[in-house]
Amino acid sequence: RQLAIDKQNVLADKAQGWMFEQLEVTKFNLDAVRKGSRLYAATTDSLGQTNHPTTDVLISNDKAFQLKSGNTASSSAFMLADKKYADVNLVAPSDQTDKVQALYAKRIESGTLKASDYQNASAKLHKGIEADNVSSGGTTYDEALKATDAKHANHVANTFEAKAAL
């Protein structure tokens, strides 16, 4: 709720990146509670590490993730293949993951100069944040985009609260 309010003056296609991170963390934490796991995910922003150079989400078992949510699979693929993310796990919107993998395979096969970056990104790409049998299950680009609207974010938060209570 608060993130949607805080980002209301940011263009929705930019604000959705923050919402993407928050949705992934919330879904992961709900799955951890449901499974009785002690794992916990948090955004680096919420931990006071605003604009961390390589990590958007940390899981309590020291697993690190970089999340990139572009409005197309090629945009997400390009952002995630940056060399600076070579040592972290990567997440694209769940509705783009298969296409991102296909793009990486095509680019690796063509022998581009960045083939090793694409190879690394392909190996580290996940459909959502995950660790030790706990997973977010993924978040689509549209889910993140819609959550930038404060009314919709409130509805999403209410849904998450009800699931947590149950």
Side-chain angles (χ1 to χ4, degrees):
R1 286 184 192 101
Q2 192 59 47
L3 191 56
I5 293 167
D6 292 348
K7 302 297 181 190
Q8 68 185 343
N9 293 327
V10 177
L11 292 174
D13 69 328
K14 302 294 181 222
Q16 63 80 29
W18 283 287
M19 297 309 286
F20 181 60
E21 293 172 12
Q22 194 59 56
L23 289 166
E24 280 290 295
V25 163
T26 303
K27 290 176 180 183
F28 179 91
N29 289 337
L30 281 172
D31 193 46
V33 168
R34 187 173 56 249
K35 292 178 177 174
S37 172
R38 292 180 178 252
L39 289 178
Y40 180 81
T43 64
T44 52
D45 282 355
S46 71
L47 297 171
Q49 300 174 30
T50 306
N51 297 319
H52 191 283
T54 62
T55 303
D56 290 325
V57 173
L58 289 170
I59 297 178
S60 56
N61 69 350
D62 295 327
K63 202 166 184 182
F65 288 86
Q66 176 59 231
L67 286 70
K68 291 294 181 194
S69 177
N71 62 349
T72 64
S74 61
S75 174
S76 297
F78 178 78
M79 291 186 288
L80 289 168
D82 193 310
K83 275 188 194 300
K84 68 183 172 186
Y85 306 135
D87 296 327
V88 297
N89 295 288
L90 307 172
V91 177
S94 57
D95 58 323
Q96 296 178 6
T97 306
D98 292 341
K99 177 75 172 166
V100 169
Q101 284 290 22
L103 288 167
Y104 286 154
K106 189 175 183 179
R107 292 171 182 173
I108 293 163
E109 186 179 309
S110 71
T112 67
L113 291 174
K114 287 187 56 135
S116 64
D117 296 335
Y118 294 132
Q119 183 78 40
N120 183 64
S122 177
K124 294 185 174 280
L125 184 65
H126 300 268
K127 207 165 204 148
I129 60 173
E130 57 190 28
D132 300 340
N133 199 35
V134 177
S135 171
S136 67
T139 300
T140 67
Y141 179 83
D142 277 350
E143 280 181 276
L145 186 63
K146 287 178 183 174
T148 63
D149 174 73
K151 286 183 182 179
H152 186 75
N154 188 53
H155 172 71
V156 171
N158 287 338
T159 302
F160 284 146
E161 288 171 346
K163 287 180 181 179
L166 292 173

